[in-house]
Amino acid sequence: MSASEEGSPVAGSHSPSSLSSPSSKPRARSAGRSCRSICHPFAEVVPPSARGAASLPAGRPYGLDGGSLLRTPGQSGVAPLAHGWAWMNFTWFASAYDTDDVPYRLLTLLQIAGALVLAAGASKALEEYDFTVITYGYVVMRLAMVSQWLRAARNDPERRRTCLRYAVGILVVQLGWVARLWLPDSAGLPSFLVLVVAELAVPAWAERAGRTTWHPHHIAERYGLFTLIVLGESITAATATVRAALDTEVSLGDIAPLVVGGILTVFAMWWLYFTQSAAEKLNSLGTALRWGYGHYVVYASAAAVAAGLAVEIAHLTGHAHLSRLAVATAYTVPVALYIAVLRLLHRGAAKFGAPDAIWAAGVLGVLAVTFTPSPVLATGCVASALVAAVLTVTRRARTSIPRTG
């Protein structure tokens, strides 16, 4: 945590109650208390790594089968969806109730074990539509959070109702996931959608009973780190795909525009994410919910960029039997979606101005290059130009502010 976070108040938070010693029981985190648990960063690195492994279909050459990537987007997205939601919830809980005691660490390790079980069952879910293992892994992760919330409810009387809502809501939804395994195949998709909505509704419902003492700077920091992990996974997946392509008859010159365009795109996505500070915007329940839920689209679109690059390479090597427009769209649409959602998350309630026009132009520019001969390289150039424009406007805005004193 940065020095600026020490002692900084949390807007809308309450002072923590007098509770038992943190060495034995969880208590509400005070506004200035930093996240000191060694479990927290460990718990955020291991599950994304497992998620990355789970997203690679077994027996396929690093995603060169581009057609399969587009035919089964729902199935291949189950593991990232489950991992991402469980560990986003863990981040918000840890920001308020991370005591780093023995029970907390053991429950965190149980969550990690559940993440690994989920990853182990991802291939079966993707290829055989057997969701038994992946469901049990997810339920293990979530039941660990139920125990965490019950501990918090016992030792934080001021927010006991909120903590109990979390525990009950998560438990009921997990019973739904287990029951779903016994439903007929025809009810698979409808029940999945209903349970996803129920999962997403739990935090909004629980926090309305009383806001937990999560720290805005801590939340912004952890979401930023998670974004770096997702972008890093995208680079790793893209590297593996390029390496597999070079093992064919494709030359480095043929694939160079894709490599350069992909690097420029990911670099621009990283830069754009950190152009603005988010902590001061997380000052209400509404903005916090938008931030948390909106990042699902950020993470999904960032991961989809790597899949889109894989489709481009598959088309180049003759493995993807798709139209040129479909191949280009698989890459440009996720990038445009990433840029658009990122702007919406950062702009807040400000009136429409020059920055919005620049970001909108960037989105339209990325979509427009879908119809160019080299959409990946063109996307990288447009995204880089957007970074330059945003930096220029931001610098001018700062210099135009009159200095006092």
Side-chain angles (χ1 to χ4, degrees):
M1 304 292 284
S2 63
S4 62
E5 295 181 47
E6 294 298 325
S8 59
V10 182
S13 67
H14 309 280
S15 59
S17 327
S18 176
L19 304 171
S20 58
S21 171
S23 62
S24 59
K25 297 178 181 178
R27 65 180 179 182
R29 182 188 304 283
S30 63
R33 184 176 171 219
S34 63
C35 180
R36 60 182 175 84
S37 171
I38 63 173
C39 279
H40 197 57
F42 179 61
E44 288 184 344
V45 170
V46 173
S49 301
R51 185 182 68 247
S55 64
L56 290 176
R60 291 176 187 156
Y62 299 100
L64 283 183
D65 186 2
S68 66
L69 287 173
L70 293 182
R71 283 194 300 269
T72 59
Q75 303 296 346
S76 60
V78 170
L81 184 75
H83 275 295
W85 180 247
W87 291 99
M88 278 190 233
N89 277 237
F90 173 79
T91 293
W92 290 87
F93 175 87
S95 181
Y97 296 105
D98 172 16
T99 55
D100 198 20
D101 57 0
V102 172
Y104 180 89
R105 290 191 182 189
L106 292 177
L107 288 171
T108 300
L109 293 176
L110 180 60
Q111 289 177 268
I112 293 174
L116 297 175
V117 172
L118 189 153
S123 294
K124 215 167 186 180
L126 177 64
E127 298 177 352
E128 302 176 20
Y129 303 97
D130 183 353
F131 294 91
T132 304
V133 176
I134 199 173
T135 297
Y136 287 143
Y138 180 72
V139 170
V140 167
M141 296 173 71
R142 301 298 279 150
L143 289 182
M145 281 307 306
V146 172
S147 300
Q148 296 277 34
W149 282 113
L150 289 176
R151 294 185 73 219
R154 180 181 177 182
N155 296 282
D156 186 8
E158 186 177 350
R159 283 164 284 275
R160 179 168 297 164
R161 188 181 175 195
T162 301
C163 296
L164 289 176
R165 279 194 177 194
Y166 269 110
V168 171
I170 294 172
L171 179 60
V172 169
V173 177
Q174 301 325 297
L175 294 175
W177 285 116
V178 175
R180 179 178 176 271
L181 296 175
W182 302 94
L183 295 178
D185 293 342
S186 59
L189 181 58
S191 61
F192 174 80
L193 295 176
V194 168
L195 289 168
V196 167
V197 172
E199 287 276 11
L200 297 175
V202 170
W205 173 63
E207 290 285 339
R208 294 190 188 282
R211 176 174 155 177
T212 52
T213 57
W214 46 266
H215 197 296
H217 288 85
H218 173 231
I219 293 298
E221 177 197 43
R222 290 299 170 182
Y223 272 77
L225 292 175
F226 207 94
T227 301
L228 288 176
I229 291 173
V230 174
L231 291 174
E233 287 180 0
S234 298
I235 293 174
T236 301
T239 301
T241 306
V242 170
R243 186 171 64 246
L246 291 176
D247 291 336
T248 65
E249 297 180 356
V250 176
S251 67
L252 182 59
D254 295 330
I255 209 171
L258 300 181
V259 173
V260 174
I263 292 174
L264 288 175
T265 301
V266 175
F267 183 79
M269 291 167 67
W270 162 73
W271 199 312
L272 290 171
Y273 186 92
F274 293 99
T275 52
Q276 301 181 60
S277 175
E280 61 269 17
K281 297 182 177 68
L282 300 176
N283 54 10
S284 69
L285 177 60
T287 56
L289 291 175
R290 285 194 295 273
W291 178 262
Y293 294 147
H295 268 75
Y296 238 129
V297 183
V298 171
Y299 298 148
S301 57
V305 171
L309 183 60
V311 173
E312 283 280 354
I313 296 176
H315 185 268
L316 180 65
T317 57
H319 288 83
H321 305 291
L322 302 166
S323 67
R324 176 66 257 181
L325 180 60
V327 171
T329 301
Y331 187 83
T332 58
V333 169
V335 177
L337 184 61
Y338 176 94
I339 295 173
V341 174
L342 205 58
R343 178 55 186 167
L344 291 176
L345 291 178
H346 278 286
R347 75 181 306 276
K351 294 182 178 180
F352 187 88
D356 297 290
I358 291 174
W359 284 77
V363 173
L364 294 176
V366 170
L367 292 176
V369 301
T370 302
F371 306 95
T372 62
S374 184
V376 174
L377 181 58
T379 297
C381 293
V382 171
S384 300
L386 176 60
V387 171
V390 170
L391 291 177
T392 301
V393 171
T394 302
R395 186 174 300 172
R396 287 180 178 176
R398 289 174 179 174
T399 56
S400 64
I401 298 176
R403 297 183 179 181
T404 59

